[in-house]
Amino acid sequence: MGKMRSVSVIGVGLSKFGERWDASFRQLVAEAGVRAISDSQIDGKDIQAVYGGCMASGRFIGQEHIGALIVDQLGLNPIPSTRLEAACASGSVAFRNAYLAIASGMHDVVAVGGVEKMTEVSVEDAATALGGAGDQEWELFIGATFPALYALIARRHMQEYGTTEEQMALCAVKNHDNGSKNPYAQYQNKITLETVMNSGVIASPLKLFDCSPITDGAAVTILCETEKAKKLVEQPIEIAASAQASDTLALAERKSLTELQATKIAAKQAFETANLKPKDIQVAEVHDCFTIAEILAVEDLGFFEKGKAGKAIEAGETKLNSAISINTSGGLKACGHPVGATGVKQVVEAVWQLRGQAEGRQVKNVERALTHNVGGSGATATVHIFKRA
Amino acid sequence: MGKMRSVSVIGVGLSKFGERWDASFRQLVAEAGVRAISDSQIDGKDIQAVYGGCMASGRFIGQEHIGALIVDQLGLNPIPSTRLEAACASGSVAFRNAYLAIASGMHDVVAVGGVEKMTEVSVEDAATALGGAGDQEWELFIGATFPALYALIARRHMQEYGTTEEQMALCAVKNHDNGSKNPYAQYQNKITLETVMNSGVIASPLKLFDCSPITDGAAVTILCETEKAKKLVEQPIEIAASAQASDTLALAERKSLTELQATKIAAKQAFETANLKPKDIQVAEVHDCFTIAEILAVEDLGFFEKGKAGKAIEAGETKLNSAISINTSGGLKACGHPVGATGVKQVVEAVWQLRGQAEGRQVKNVERALTHNVGGSGATATVHIFKRA
């Protein structure tokens, strides 16, 4: 490994997340993109490349070549524009490669977007498209849906560690609490434990309110080499670490169902690179595609011992301004989960928290924030750590 | 732009291209991957990251999350693995980002694959999937197919420059000549001018033999930081330049139909970076998805003046061992066009030519080779230049 240039975030923007019948794929990109460029105080012509994360536009809107579409829509031709895909981790993988493009010395200023327009197809077609995140030959073809895969994980976690359905449900309750304070969130309503427990069973033990929704949305960040960033904006947010790891596509091939190896490996690398420990993080956006996924995440990232997260959540230890504030944006559960956008949206929230701009959900004394994005059932995981430059 | 680390190719491998009823998507990846790793003389465990180019696996095989699939299939977990998509330029865009990942200092050795399994769906479904490379809202939805878009380009080139159908056809004849000397090519049969001229009209003036085929195939290269590469293999092939540019997704928004701006911009940047001129290149793999595309390419890359390529081809000036040997592999036309693999296959051919390993199609005294890959009708273009390290 060689010496790398430091990279910082200088602008962020989100579209409103939700069922966006009023906006096309292109319009979502523009909505978030214009806000991010405006937030960065740079001119569009200063941007040297675009990276976009998108999972399944071919199935959702019949469109590939998303890099070209995004750069065209943002009026930024002829700079290079590239789409990355890693299922539900597409956004963070795009973010990571934009970071590398600057770290390499090729570019100084790069825009990274994540986008997904999911609500224009039927729920059945959406489930099929999302199934492409798992192993088509060995899982989907024989009938496993994504909730079914995570239900297997949940059952095993319950058996091994005594985790309860109520503890999982409390992740959703907390995330709706946080989402109620986020004007970009798909769901801004608080819910109770009873709401979750009484909701319909999707794949036992997971109920409707244990699952993240189908969402339209886009998120954009502007990255810049740090020394230049310091001249451009008041408070650049530095990428202290970027790590990514892989695991088997199919659950059946893994040694354990109760941890995601890819998360553990990426977290270890990220903490080493940043020379930090989990206790040094105040705010973390983690991948709660299902409530059980949040439990796995906070354990695998090292915030809680394996098997202890259920009780910690019950004790309120992941709420706003607790030991570690988890999913202040509302997470995938309440903010919504436009799959390709999620990894970038997590960065936007981390930046807002570090800048002190998270409004009603602002955590006190945030020095470092972490984002954690998972593809499929854990075949890809990324971890990024941020601090003020 | 900062100082970048130099990067070289140390291993290459192809699957046989063609209608591969005998091999799944996964098997194609393994076929090319094992050959590339073996060719590089390194151990799989020395590879630190994987990049994969693939255009439309969601539509072709119902599978996304291709990065995770590739790294899993190659037995290389848990290293990071990332899929890139830029329509028919997916392979070269993956190659470019793998190059940047090494140039950045993040990794020293990276595998880059390109793959597409296209023949398992109907021709109609394949055409729909490929249509995703163009503008779904403004082109495909109103009935334009890809051959139709390139037919518009061909008609305009004929009108402006007097280019003839025979001149276009001669591209196909030459590429079949070259393909007949390439054991990996989908078509290894020579054809005559009459074969092309008498073939069925697809979208006038383009006939069946003006069009590249539907192909299954994979291509893999192993990249390494150049100083390390010199210690590992006898003859590393250095990436002297990597450039990428974008243009509007829809043809209708462009100023000219007879040139691809993205190619011209990427070529200019690549030649400047490498401090070379078109006349310094002996071998070029260019994007001949249709014969007219090869004519545009050799003009836009600067090998021939605009409007003069038709006559040059007629005069045999792009044949093996002429002034500039174009598409020695057989090009997309005869070697085949598994869309995500093509950009990486072009690099494999360039490496073989620079190493003197291109067997019956070896060009004499190759000092520098160029690859040119186009996404859609030119909304993305990449140019790479190679030389012996």
Side-chain angles (χ1 to χ4, degrees), chain B residues 60-202:
Chain B
F60 283 127
I61 61 166
Q63 179 75 62
E64 311 284 359
H65 215 171
I66 295 305
L69 182 145
I70 292 176
V71 73
D72 195 4
Q73 178 67 10
L74 294 177
L76 297 178
N77 279 325
I79 61 173
S81 183
T82 304
R83 176 240 187 139
L84 290 100
E85 183 270 322
C88 325
S90 299
S92 63
V93 163
F95 184 83
R96 177 176 154 85
N97 281 278
Y99 158 68
L100 292 176
I102 295 176
S104 73
M106 176 64 86
H107 303 297
D108 292 329
V109 182
V110 174
V112 194
V115 56
E116 210 84 48
K117 178 74 174 149
M118 302 173 71
T119 64
E120 292 196 4
V121 298
S122 68
V123 172
E124 292 75 16
D125 285 350
T128 303
L130 292 170
D135 195 308
Q136 182 59 248
E137 282 181 73
W138 299 350
E139 291 178 336
L140 286 308
F141 185 73
I142 54 167
T145 61
F146 251 82
L149 295 175
Y150 273 96
L152 288 171
I153 292 173
R155 277 276 171 234
R156 188 74 205 173
H157 205 279
M158 291 168 73
Q159 187 189 327
E160 282 190 31
Y161 302 112
T163 302
T164 66
E165 294 187 41
E166 287 78 5
Q167 288 166 350
M168 291 190 261
L170 285 168
C171 292
V173 173
K174 168 186 66 70
N175 289 345
H176 271 259
D177 267 0
N178 294 349
S180 75
K181 302 178 173 83
N182 182 355
Y184 293 96
Q186 179 165 12
Y187 300 120
Q188 298 175 30
N189 60 312
K190 297 188 185 193
I191 57 172
T192 63
L193 180 59
E194 291 66 41
T195 317
V196 187
M197 295 302 290
N198 295 333
S199 64
V201 173
I202 301 297

Side-chain angles (χ1 to χ4, degrees), chain A residues 225-372:
Chain A
E225 186 276 323
T226 298
E227 288 312 308
K228 182 169 181 167
K230 286 177 180 171
K231 292 171 199 150
L232 290 174
V233 295
E234 204 168 311
Q235 184 55 73
I237 303 299
E238 189 180 2
I239 303 167
S242 169
Q244 179 185 341
S246 307
D247 200 351
T248 64
L249 206 48
L251 269 193
E253 296 200 82
R254 304 201 192 145
K255 284 183 191 155
S256 167
L257 282 182
T258 54
E259 58 182 23
L260 298 188
Q261 277 299 324
T263 297
K264 291 180 75 170
I265 293 166
K268 185 168 180 290
Q269 288 179 0
F271 283 121
E272 279 175 12
T273 303
N275 196 23
L276 294 172
K277 293 197 156 43
K279 68 173 173 45
D280 299 321
I281 306 292
Q282 290 81 42
V283 165
E285 288 283 303
V286 309
H287 198 87
D288 61 319
C289 49
F290 300 94
T291 50
I292 184 63
E294 179 165 318
I295 288 177
L296 258 58
V298 296
E299 291 173 351
D300 295 337
L301 291 166
F303 297 130
F304 299 98
E305 268 179 61
K306 180 52 66 183
K308 301 282 175 69
K311 286 204 169 146
I313 287 156
E314 211 164 37
E317 293 174 24
T318 59
K319 288 185 176 177
L320 284 186
N321 288 306
S322 58
I324 173 84
S325 301
I326 297 289
N327 283 331
T328 58
S329 72
L332 285 55
K333 174 67 198 83
C335 191
H337 183 27
V339 283
T342 286
V344 181
K345 179 222 74 176
Q346 295 178 321
V347 175
V348 173
E349 180 71 9
V351 167
W352 279 334
Q353 288 286 354
L354 280 160
R355 283 180 181 170
Q357 295 177 337
E359 304 186 357
R361 62 191 189 285
Q362 178 66 47
V363 174
K364 286 171 194 153
N365 305 320
V366 183
E367 292 296 325
R368 296 178 195 94
L370 177 148
T371 60
H372 162 254

Side-chain angles (χ1 to χ4, degrees), chain A residues 15-35:
Chain A
S15 78
K16 172 76 175 71
F17 278 23
E19 291 190 40
R20 294 293 307 272
W21 301 104
D22 61 313
S24 69
F25 185 98
R26 278 182 160 86
Q27 288 169 318
L28 291 171
V29 169
E31 190 176 320
V34 167
R35 285 173 181 159

Side-chain angles (χ1 to χ4, degrees), chain A residues 53-65:
Chain A
C54 182
M55 175 185 165
S57 56
R59 286 196 166 262
F60 284 127
I61 61 165
Q63 179 74 62
E64 311 283 359
H65 215 171

Side-chain angles (χ1 to χ4, degrees), chain A residues 127-128 130-146 149, chain B residues 62-63:
Chain A
T128 303
L130 292 170
D135 194 308
Q136 182 59 248
E137 282 182 73
W138 299 352
E139 291 178 335
L140 286 308
F141 186 74
I142 54 168
T145 61
F146 251 82
L149 296 174
Chain B
Q63 179 75 62

